[in-house]
Amino acid sequence: TDVSSINPEAKAGIKAHEKDINAIAISPNDSLIASASQDKTIKIWNSRDLSLLGTCKGHKRGVWSVVFSPVDKCLASSSSDKTIKIWDL
């Protein structure tokens, strides 16, 4: 494949958080995006138009990792507050 012929173009964009974004995850069915931030939150977005569907609050420090479960509607996150949380979506 000739890399010079690839011309990617953003389909959508939005300011998602007030602080740095540390990680993102895409759900197994590609319908949701989760963004994890230094602002201590995880935000859940509609992948088609980046509309905000919800915010997960509960970490006491920045969230560094987020991943969707491949079989259930849940999300796992880890934070510099030394906790792992499982979120029921």
Side-chain angles (χ1 to χ4, degrees), residues 2-66:
D2 180 12
V3 178
S4 64
S5 66
I6 298 173
N7 294 311
E9 184 177 321
K11 294 174 78 173
I14 191 166
K15 181 177 178 187
H17 292 270
E18 292 302 314
K19 293 192 176 181
D20 293 349
I21 296 171
N22 294 325
I24 63 165
I26 300 173
S27 65
N29 65 4
D30 295 337
S31 67
L32 302 174
I33 297 172
S35 58
S37 173
Q38 281 298 103
D39 67 8
K40 308 174 194 171
T41 68
I42 301 157
K43 293 189 178 179
I44 310 298
W45 308 89
N46 179 315
S47 66
R48 290 195 180 119
D49 61 5
L50 293 182
S51 58
L52 182 62
L53 300 174
T55 302
C56 304
K57 296 179 181 178
H59 282 294
K60 294 181 177 23
R61 296 187 70 187
V63 184
W64 285 94
S65 179
V66 64

